[in-house]
Amino acid sequence: MVRKLELDAAAHARLVERCRERNIPFLSTPFDLESVDLLVSLGVPLLKVPSGEVTHARLLRKVAQTGLPVLMSTGMCTLGDIEAALSVLAAGYLGESDPVAAFRSDAGQAVLRDKVRLLHCTTEYPAPLADVNLHAMATMRQAFGLPVGYSDHSDGIAVALAAVALGACVIEKHFTLDRSLPGPDHKASLEPSALRAMVEGIRAVELALGTACKRPSPSELKNLPIARRSLVAARAIRKGELFTTENMVAKRPGGGISPLRDVEYLGKPAERDYRPDDPL
């Protein structure tokens, strides 16, 4: 199967040119040392480390020695596996021989923050929803202080949208022209219309996430007078009469004295006469 799908260097060059014509950044995933050299020669902007190669120290070191940024997928990984791989990457970037010392150093942590993005992943095609565990993204962010994305092998687009809502910095999704084609990945891939729907959905989620500041949005402000209430006289009130819960009521529109302030008026004398529904 692999031989049948293999692309030579010339085919890669044609793909790079096609991507350039379509304004698509070309990148690829090396599974061996020679492929790292090929991809670097093609001018890729970054390299991806696949889940199956997280324990391949020689490959990790060579990838880091290119100086390129890295997306590292973490399917089948424990936090310990991820730390060990990051240690090798740190050593490779810094040109040091001791991965543990490189990882623990300030320089190692700085280069990892600058160069590496992690991808949470479930290595199954398609991945069962019960095994996706999107909350692991937050655990990885907290453990390593690195941005975390999501490599999605689940069916459909719902999980990818949820990952973005949970802060995924990048989404990887398999793409095919026909999900019925032979091979292991097509069933876990999106056809063109579904890929477009996913991208549009992600953009909508990103827009909806907004900021962490809780305040009225511009579109809400015009509705404040309509939706909120003001304190008004429940019946006629004579000057000097004490305000009570019986002669005050909260009614729309807003814009007057907030009902939250009713305790400031209770038991105090009215300074003028009020007709029913006059605002306080």
Side-chain angles (χ1 to χ4, degrees), residues 54-55 60 72 75-87 144:
V54 167
T55 59
L60 293 171
M72 189 174 80
M76 305 172 290
C77 284
T78 64
L79 290 179
D81 295 331
I82 299 170
E83 181 173 325
L86 290 174
S87 299
F144 303 110

Side-chain angles (χ1 to χ4, degrees), residues 187-239:
K187 290 183 180 180
S189 302
L190 297 181
E191 293 177 350
S193 60
L195 182 67
R196 178 181 294 277
M198 186 191 77
V199 173
E200 292 173 349
I202 286 173
R203 295 293 173 256
V205 170
E206 289 173 334
L207 188 62
L209 285 174
T211 69
C213 181
K214 177 57 181 172
R215 61 187 177 191
S217 68
S219 65
E220 287 181 296
L221 292 175
K222 67 180 184 297
N223 295 321
L224 272 172
I226 302 170
R228 293 285 172 84
R229 297 171 184 258
S230 302
L231 283 177
V232 301
R235 56 171 174 76
I237 302 173
R238 292 184 177 275
K239 181 179 179 179

